[in-house]
Amino acid sequence: MRKDHMDALRTAELAEWVSLPVERESKKIKLVVSDIEGCLNLNEHTYDREALSWMKAANQLARQDNPIPSITVCSGPACFC
């Protein structure tokens, strides 16, 4: 499958989730925190741009009244405080 087709499918999937209303109090996941090293990098010098691009799109759509959580990244010991 071509990359642009996969991107369109992912965007459509996010758009479908945005259309599902939820009450703020019942939103199960409100924030996703991901470590960078070993999770978002392909090796010590290269980041997974596809994953970062998807996270950016999800963050742009995340609201308190839909099921998409906000996403952030961290690195090092601060991730495990």
Side-chain angles (χ1 to χ4, degrees):
M1 196 175 286
R2 291 183 25 212
K3 183 182 177 330
D4 57 339
H5 183 68
M6 288 295 295
D7 289 344
L9 287 176
R10 288 188 186 108
T11 302
E13 182 180 41
L14 286 172
E16 184 177 327
W17 280 99
V18 168
S19 69
L20 300 172
V22 296
E23 292 183 29
R24 180 180 178 183
E25 297 79 26
S26 65
K27 188 169 181 172
K28 301 225 186 272
I29 300 172
K30 296 177 180 149
L31 177 66
V32 174
V33 180
S34 176
D35 187 18
I36 297 171
E37 304 305 323
C39 298
L40 297 173
N41 62 333
L42 303 173
N43 60 49
E44 62 185 50
H45 302 291
T46 307
Y47 290 96
D48 186 343
R49 292 181 187 267
E50 189 175 324
L52 293 171
S53 176
W54 186 89
M55 289 170 55
K56 178 183 177 183
N59 262 337
Q60 290 172 333
L61 296 171
R63 302 286 180 268
Q64 292 180 355
D65 63 347
N66 71 39
I68 299 175
S70 296
I71 304 170
T72 192
V73 296
C74 66
S75 186
C79 289
F80 305 102
C81 293

